[in-house]
């Protein structure tokens, strides 16, 4: 298996330096704006809340463990992050239909409306930022950013443990 230094010697270090620098600049800019959007909804929903609400909207009601696994984070982190969303009425806790003891998290109508307000604001920001780009430019950028995020997720994914010998 090639080492990390073997992999970088096969690539142009100038491009890698530029890439890591641009990713750092992007992270700073994203944090400055929180990619919150434009208008009233700007900076009005933190990243964790947006990602949790978005996942519940896309995938439907689910338990904490499933939500955590789908987001690649720890169950205790999801529990902590979802608490204010429940308190504010954006997420409802309900009983699992097949196992009444289990709790299922579900996007409430209030959460759905708020999520759409934030999405609309963020869409407006993306339109503003990419004004003058062609449709092809946007598609290519989105494809590459999606690939980049997937590769980062794979690097940070837990390494499967080998089965222990019996």
């Amino acid at each position: 298996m090639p080492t990390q230094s073997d992999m970088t010697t096969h690539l142009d270090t100038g491009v890698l330096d530029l890439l890591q620098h641009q990713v750092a600049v992007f992270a700073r800019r994203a944090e400055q704006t929180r990619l919150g959007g434009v208008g009233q909804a700007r900076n009005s929903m933190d990243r964790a809340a947006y990602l949790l609400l978005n996942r519940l909207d896309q995938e439907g009601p689910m338990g904490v463990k499933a939500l955590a696994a789908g987001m690649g984070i720890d169950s205790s982190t999801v529990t902590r992050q979802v608490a204010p969303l429940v308190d504010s009425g954006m997420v409802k806790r309900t009983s699992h239909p097949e196992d009444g003891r289990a709790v299922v998290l579900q996007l409430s109508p209030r959460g759905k409306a708020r999520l759409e307000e934030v999405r609309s604001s963020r869409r407006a920001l993306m339109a503003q930022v990419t004004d003058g780009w062609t449709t092809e430019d946007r598609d290519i950028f989105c494809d590459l950013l999606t690939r980049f995020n997937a590769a980062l997720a794979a690097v940070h994914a837990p390494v499967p443990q080998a089965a222990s010998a019996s």
Side-chain angles (χ1 to χ4, degrees), residues 1 4 9 18-19 23 28 30 46-47 54 58 60 69 85 93 112 114 119 134-135 149 152 154 163:
M1 183 165 169
Q4 200 168 18
T9 57
L18 181 59
L19 179 59
V23 168
R28 181 179 20 168
D46 70 41
R47 181 178 52 244
N54 197 54
Q58 290 179 345
L85 298 173
R93 283 189 177 111
K112 176 81 171 168
R114 184 72 183 99
R119 278 183 182 152
T134 66
T135 299
N149 279 328
L152 275 178

Side-chain angles (χ1 to χ4, degrees), residues 24-38:
V25 170
F26 172 77
R28 181 179 20 168
R29 298 270 186 261
E31 188 56 34
Q32 285 171 337
T33 65
R34 300 180 78 197
L35 291 182
V38 295

Side-chain angles (χ1 to χ4, degrees), residues 137-161:
D137 288 342
R138 285 185 180 122
D139 289 344
I140 290 168
F141 182 72
C142 192
D143 288 345
L144 290 172
L145 190 55
T146 300
R147 251 175 78 191
F148 185 80
N149 279 328
L152 275 178
V155 166
H156 294 292
V159 177
Q161 305 227 347

